[in-house]
Structure formats: structure tokens, C-alpha cells
Amino acid sequence: MSEQPIIDVRGVWKRFGTVEVLRGIDLAIRKSEVACIIGPSGSGKSTLLRCIAFLEAYSEGEIYIEGELLGYMLDGGKRIPASDSEVARVRRNVGFVFQQFNLWPHMTALENVAAPLRLARGIPREDAAGRARRMLEKVGLAHRAEAYPSQLSGGQQQRVGIARALAMEPHIMLFDEPTSALDPELVGEVLQVMRDLASEGMTMVVVTHEMGFAAQVADKVLFIDHGKIAAAGSPHEVFRRDENPRLRQFLQNYFDRNVFWQNAGEAGIG
Amino acid sequence: MSFNPAILTDNWAAILDGMVLTIVIWAAGTVIGLAVGLLVAIGQLFTNRWVAAPLTLYVAVMRGTPFLIQLFVIYYGGPFFGLDLSPLTAGIAGLGFYGGGYFAEIFRAGFLSVPPGQIEAARMMGMSRFQIIRHVQLPQMLVIILPALANMTVLLSKETAVLSVITVNELTSVIQSIGSTTFAFAETLLFLAVVYWAFLEIVTAAARRLEKRVGRFTLRGQH
């Protein structure tokens, strides 16, 4: 296997007007790695993920996807914005899962997965439907193929969202807080699908508040604070050993919630 | 002088010709208006400002000036710019571009009603700008803008009457000439009003049926 990272982020800055959201991010993800990005809200973690998908244009630096510069072209040393079709070409192997699912409400679950195969890849109707059915099966939703998004639970909608992205056979999957919009009892089914995907060797970058998932599944955890990577390493290094006070404070909030349950158990509530 | 509906039956052939012409003008004007409106809205939203700015000016002029004046400019002013149109062609083109200004605003509002996240999802799946418009935005926005489109179509049916001033022999023109030769103004004008009202009812009923068809997925209730 080559040593070249599949995602290579070099010195990336992102400004919205005068607000600096990302302030010099360097990050390399290798094939089959699972990276979890954690951090307080407003820290820039979702913006970073959206820059890696070029849903946001980054202001400075470079992002390479499988060795190709994303979003810009070099024209005699000068950087110019790439065309839509060039952007689409470079990120053709990148799948994206949204916090709000973003399914198309006028299409059934099956059509949500099959339509892009037909339209963007030119796959014949029958073959597209067949592959879509297999993808829905993979996320445990074959029996809901004919349902419209409004007839599905949040967890089911998100699993359709994952199936839709997987149908394009991506090399990289980006997840933007995939469980944050879900009722707590529906989080597990989505995380299970993501766990399966990780164990199959998918390269994944996950922005999440699910510390348990990060601890168990991630190869690498990145703590972002004020637009910079403030701590990075294995889950053990970041969660147990890192002395960054902002990170300790951030993690403390999660521990406090769990402490409530332990105390509740002792008091005979839980 | 008494109310005498026979005036209408005596002149049925001329009235029928006028009515057919009115419907032709209306249908052609609406089709042109819808096409122009859709293209203008797409140009305003999805291109650069060098395209968008003149289109926005066009919409402002169409909505900001009376149709009567626009028609005069095209028909009587056109020849000064080498645009020598027959009354009917000038009338249909005028109605189409007048309606286009309003349809453009309706389509623009429709495009903006589709959540941006759905468009981002389509872009991430590699769909082209045109495919996103055709398969993601239009099917959803049509449900929302259909009542507004139907309303504008009804308004256009009544604007066809303005074409009588540039000598197009549509229904209003025919009825007026019958009225002024027979002095049966009550019969003719009442009939005229009833016909335009019938147009309204037909369009409204058609729009309702269409709404039910295209609105299947929303009737099931969004989360």
C-alpha cells in the first residue's frame, strides 16, 4: 500500500468575511483509517468536513483527494477556481452523510438511492434499482424501499442517506454529525451501520459528539478548538492522556453526564 | 329596448371565431410566458451577475409598466427598430413576455423554497446543475407554486382583451363591434364577463386536479 494519504489537508484556512473559522489545518488521512473530529460547537469541525467535500470553498492552503488538488487549478503558478465539473470529478469517490439527512422528499427510499446512479453515472434503470436494493439491504431497510422519507423514522432516513452515498462506491465517507438530529433511541442503529462500514475497511472522517463511538471505532481522534487542531492522536492518547485544558474541559462535560447515571444508579433511580 | 339574448345567437359565427382566437392567444402567451419565466429565473439564480442583472431589469420593466403600454411599444414602436410584426404576432409575443416577468418571480420563489441541503446532497452525488433543477428542484417546487402559476394564467386570460387595441379580432374586439352596431351593450358585455369567468373556473379546476397529482408526497405529511 502506498504511503500517500488518501486525504491530505495542508495549511487550510477558511474565512467568512472577517471571521476566521479554520486557522491553518494540517491533516492526513490514510486509506482505511477512521478519523473522528470532536470539539465544541462553533469550533470549525463541520466547516473542515465541508471543505474536504468542497461544499465550502477554503480560502487558503490545499486539500488533496487521492493525490488530486480539490476545488482549484494551478494556472502557471496562479490558483484559479476549478469548474463545477472538475470539482465533481475530483470528489467522485467521496460520499457525504448530512446531519439533516437531506433526502429528496418526492422520491421513495429506493429512488433516493437509484436516481443518482442513473443520472450521474448513467447506469441503466434496472441495474440502478438492483444496486439500490442491495444498498438498502446492507443498511437493513430492504423492506422500506417503497416508503417516502416522510414515512420513515429519523434513524431510517439517515440509513437511507448512508445507502445513497454508498451506492456510488466511494473510497471515502464523510459524516457530518450523522446522529445529532436523531432521537436518542435511534442513534444506535445508525452507529451500528457506521461500525460495520469501518470494519469493512472504509476510509471515514466523522464529525461527532458520540464519544463512545470515537473511543471504540476511531484510529485517530482530532480535537478542534478555535479553528485549529488542538489535540490529535489515538483515542487512548486523546481521551486519557492529553493535558490540553480546553480538551479536558470539553470532555468533562461528557463525563458529567455519565456521572449522573452512576449516581442515579447508587440512589436507586437508574 | 329590452334585453335580447338573440343578438348573441345571431352572431354566433363571429363570436366563436373571437373565442377561438382568444384561447389561442391565451394558450400561446401562457406557454411562452412559462418558458420565458423559467429561463429568466434560472438565469437570475444560477449564472453570474452579468446575466442576472439585465434579467432582473427585464422583470422590473414587465411588472412595473402597464401591459397596454408594452403592447403599444412592441406594435407601434417596433417598426422603428426593424421589428415589423403582425398584430397577432405582436400580441402573442407581448403577452408572453409580459407574463414571463411575473412567471419568473414565481419560479424564483419556487427555486428558493427547496432546502439548500437537498441541493448539496445532489451535488455530492455528482448530479449536474441541470439534473438538479430537473429532478430535485422542479418536482418539489411545482407543488408549492402551482396555485400562483394558475392565478397568473387566469390573469393572462383577461389581459388578452387588451389585444383589441392593436386590432386583433379576439373575443372582446368582436363583442365590442357587435355591441356598437346593435347597441345591445348589456347582452354582449354580460356575455363577455361570463366567458372570462368560465376561463377562471376551468383553470382553477384543472390546477386543483394537478395539485393532487403532483402533491402525492407532501399529502403524506413532512416531518
Side-chain angles (χ1 to χ4, degrees):
Chain A
M1 202 178 74
S2 75
E3 281 302 298
Q4 189 193 41
I6 191 166
I7 302 172
D8 198 355
V9 178
R10 295 186 199 163
V12 161
W13 288 66
K14 172 64 183 174
R15 298 183 189 88
F16 290 105
T18 57
V19 183
E20 293 174 338
V21 183
L22 298 178
R23 302 185 299 149
I25 300 276
D26 291 288
L27 168 65
I29 310 281
R30 285 172 207 289
K31 196 166 180 302
S32 292
E33 247 183 348
V34 177
C36 282
I37 303 177
I38 61 171
S41 57
S43 59
K45 56 192 191 304
S46 278
T47 303
L48 172 58
L49 198 74
R50 289 171 59 81
C51 283
I52 295 173
F54 211 70
L55 289 171
E56 303 284 357
Y58 48 97
S59 317
E60 237 177 81
E62 289 117 47
I63 296 177
Y64 294 91
I65 303 292
E66 298 181 289
E68 292 190 282
L69 181 62
L70 174 68
Y72 296 96
M73 311 252 267
L74 292 175
D75 183 25
K78 226 181 111 216
R79 191 163 94 160
I80 54 167
S83 65
D84 285 356
S85 58
E86 171 64 11
V87 170
R89 191 187 65 76
V90 174
R91 69 174 173 207
R92 67 197 176 280
N93 295 324
V94 180
F96 201 100
V97 175
F98 298 85
Q99 183 178 353
Q100 299 296 337
F101 328 134
N102 291 340
L103 298 182
W104 303 304
H106 57 299
M107 299 182 193
T108 62
L110 187 79
E111 287 164 359
N112 262 279
V113 183
L117 292 173
R118 288 203 314 273
L119 297 169
R121 295 281 159 95
I123 294 173
R125 182 172 289 273
E126 291 297 305
D127 299 353
R131 196 199 286 187
R133 223 170 270 284
R134 284 197 300 282
M135 288 302 143
L136 288 176
E137 211 166 298
K138 191 179 166 73
V139 299
L141 283 174
H143 62 295
R144 300 296 276 145
E146 302 309 321
Y148 284 87
S150 58
Q151 297 168 312
L152 298 172
S153 73
Q156 290 174 329
Q157 288 187 58
Q158 190 58 295
R159 286 189 280 154
V160 174
I162 294 172
R164 178 173 66 174
L166 287 179
M168 307 300 276
E169 297 177 335
H171 302 168
I172 299 164
M173 285 283 282
L174 307 177
F175 294 83
D176 186 10
E177 301 197 31
T179 58
S180 296
L182 299 178
D183 291 339
E185 78 268 25
L186 302 177
V187 168
E189 62 190 71
V190 172
L191 292 184
Q192 189 52 51
V193 169
M194 291 168 63
R195 245 183 222 112
D196 295 345
L197 210 51
S199 65
E200 289 167 22
M202 177 64 78
T203 308
M204 294 164 61
V205 182
V206 186
V207 171
T208 189
H209 291 291
E210 295 294 329
M211 296 303 145
F213 177 83
Q216 289 166 20
V217 182
D219 300 302
K220 185 186 276 183
V221 175
L222 305 146
F223 173 66
I224 297 205
D225 190 36
H226 292 308
K228 287 185 169 168
I229 295 179
S234 71
H236 186 74
E237 286 165 344
V238 171
F239 288 136
R240 292 291 173 210
R241 293 219 303 263
D242 201 284
E243 293 305 321
N244 181 312
R246 292 277 304 171
L247 173 58
R248 297 261 65 92
Q249 178 59 46
F250 175 73
L251 291 174
Q252 194 61 48
N253 295 331
Y254 287 91
F255 296 147
D256 286 348
R257 278 213 312 225
N258 291 332
V259 165
F260 166 78
W261 288 108
Q262 282 157 22
N263 293 344
E266 284 162 18
I269 302 170
Chain B
M1 194 174 194
S2 61
F3 195 78
N4 179 17
I7 296 289
L8 299 169
T9 45
D10 289 347
N11 294 285
W12 68 271
I15 290 175
L16 194 65
D17 282 350
M19 208 185 294
V20 167
L21 193 56
T22 287
I23 290 171
V24 167
I25 294 164
W26 178 28
T30 302
V31 168
I32 294 171
L34 285 169
V36 168
L38 182 58
L39 290 176
V40 168
I42 288 171
Q44 280 181 302
L45 289 172
F46 307 124
T47 61
N48 55 54
R49 62 200 166 102
W50 302 110
V51 178
L55 292 176
T56 303
L57 180 68
Y58 157 78
V59 171
V61 170
M62 290 300 117
R63 297 172 70 214
T65 59
F67 178 50
L68 182 67
I69 310 291
Q70 293 173 18
L71 215 49
F72 277 151
V73 168
I74 293 175
Y75 184 61
Y76 294 113
F80 291 99
F81 307 99
L83 198 67
D84 215 343
L85 302 173
S86 74
L88 185 61
T89 313
I92 288 175
L95 190 69
F97 281 92
Y98 168 75
Y102 285 90
F103 282 128
E105 280 295 280
I106 297 171
F107 281 118
R108 200 171 65 84
F111 277 114
L112 295 176
S113 74
V114 177
Q118 288 186 30
I119 292 147
E120 288 185 344
R123 279 169 57 203
M124 283 311 297
M125 304 300 291
M127 286 159 66
S128 70
R129 184 68 256 178
F130 174 77
Q131 288 175 333
I132 296 172
I133 290 172
R134 162 78 182 77
H135 296 278
V136 175
Q137 293 178 287
L138 275 177
Q140 291 186 69
M141 63 190 251
L142 281 180
V143 185
I144 296 163
I145 66 175
L146 207 74
L149 291 179
N151 188 45
M152 190 59 217
T153 305
V154 169
L155 285 176
L156 285 186
S157 79
K158 291 182 285 188
E159 295 291 354
T160 58
V162 178
L163 269 64
S164 60
V165 301
I166 57 166
T167 73
V168 175
N169 245 341
E170 46 66 65
L171 188 62
T172 298
S173 167
V174 170
I175 293 288
Q176 265 180 343
S177 66
I178 295 170
S180 54
T181 50
T182 60
F183 299 103
F185 290 113
E187 296 86 340
T188 50
L189 293 179
L190 186 66
F191 172 75
L192 194 59
V194 167
V195 171
Y196 287 113
W197 182 29
F199 287 161
L200 162 83
E201 293 296 342
I202 291 166
V203 172
T204 307
R208 290 271 149 74
R209 289 186 66 138
L210 210 57
E211 266 171 62
K212 275 190 188 137
R213 274 184 58 125
V214 294
R216 272 175 317 163
F217 64 94
T218 50
L219 294 178
R220 293 191 167 117
Q222 302 286 295
H223 54 271

